[in-house]
Amino acid sequence: KQEVTQIPAALSVPEGENLVLNCSFTDSAIYNLQWFRQDPGKGLTSLLLIQSSQREQTSGRLNASLDKSSGRSTLYIAASQPGDSATYLCAVSSGNTGKLIFGQGTTLQVKP
Amino acid sequence: NAGVTQTPKFRILKIGQSMTLQCTQDMNHNYMYWYRQDPGMGLKLIYYSVGAGITDKGEVPNGYNVSRSTTEDFPLRLELAAPSQTSVYFCASSDLKQGQLNQPQHFGDGTRLSIL
C-alpha cells in the first residue's frame, strides 16, 4: 500500500531564505508526483507535476525534484516571501484513474 | 471559467440527518473526485468517477454515496450523518484521457461540515 510522508510538519523561516520541503513515498511504481499549495480556508492549487520519467520541474522560484528509485521528492523555494506562507502538500498518482495519495502536508511560515 | 464549484461552503448537521454536497465543474473534465481532509492530515479519497454514469469507491467510502448523471456534476450524499464525518470535503476534476495520464487535479474551495 502506497504511503506518502512529508517532513517537517511545520517550518518557520525569515524572509529571503531558500528552503526545501521533503516528500517520501513507499512504492516507486508511480505515474507522477504533484505538489499543491493550500491557503487557510481554501482549496488546493496545483504548483508542479513531475512525470515519473522526469527528474525535475521548475516554475518561477519553485523547483521540484523526483528520485523515483529512492522514493523521494523535494520542493525547493528560492528567496522565500511572506506570501509563500501556506501549507504545501505532495501527492502521488499510481494508477490510470488519476487517484492521488496525499502526504500530511508541511505548514510554512515566512516571517517578514 | 469558474473551475470547480462546491456548495454549501459551511454546514452544521445533527447526528442522523442527511445531506448532499454539490460539486460542479465547467471544464468538461471526465474525471472527478471527492476527498475529505481531517485536521492536520492529508486528503483521503472517498469516491471517484471516470465519466458520466461510472463511479467507484476510493479509500474511505463508508457512509457516503455518489452519482454522476452528467459530465459537469458529481454530488456526494451523506445518508445518516455521524460525528466521524465531521471534516472538510473537497471535490476535484482532471482532464485525464487515454494515453494522457499526467494531468493536474483542479480543486474546489471545499465544504466545511460539522456533525453535532
Side-chain angles (χ1 to χ4, degrees), chain B residues 5 16 31 38 44 51 75 93-94 96 107:
Chain B
T5 302
Y31 288 70
D38 298 323
K44 292 187 176 181
S93 71
S94 182
L96 293 182
F107 284 78

Side-chain angles (χ1 to χ4, degrees), chain A residues 50-70:
Chain A
I50 311 177
Q51 300 179 30
S52 62
S53 59
Q54 297 175 327
R55 296 285 300 202
E56 64 179 296
Q57 280 284 344
T58 298
S59 176
R61 295 183 293 109
L62 304 180
N63 177 276
S65 68
L66 175 64
D67 185 342
K68 205 172 69 164
S69 61
S70 67

Side-chain angles (χ1 to χ4, degrees), chain A residues 30-35 46-58 63-68 72-75 91-93, chain B residues 102:
Chain A
I30 63 172
Y31 276 106
N32 61 64
L33 184 144
Q34 302 182 35
W35 282 94
S46 178
L47 296 174
L48 291 164
L49 182 152
I50 311 177
Q51 300 179 30
S52 62
S53 59
Q54 297 175 327
R55 296 285 300 202
E56 64 179 296
Q57 280 284 344
T58 298
N63 177 276
S65 68
L66 175 64
D67 185 342
K68 205 172 69 164
R72 293 179 182 178
S73 176
T74 62
L75 179 66
V92 298
S93 174
Chain B
N102 290 301

Side-chain angles (χ1 to χ4, degrees), chain B residues 46-58:
Chain B
I46 305 171
Y47 271 94
Y48 68 99
S49 169
V50 302
I54 307 171
T55 63
D56 207 348
K57 296 177 180 179

Side-chain angles (χ1 to χ4, degrees), chain B residues 1-5 26:
Chain B
N1 285 347
V4 179
T5 302
D26 62 359

Side-chain angles (χ1 to χ4, degrees), chain B residues 17 24 58-60 80 87 95 106:
Chain B
Q17 287 186 321
T24 186
E59 187 180 1
V60 289
L80 290 171
S87 190
D95 192 22
H106 302 264

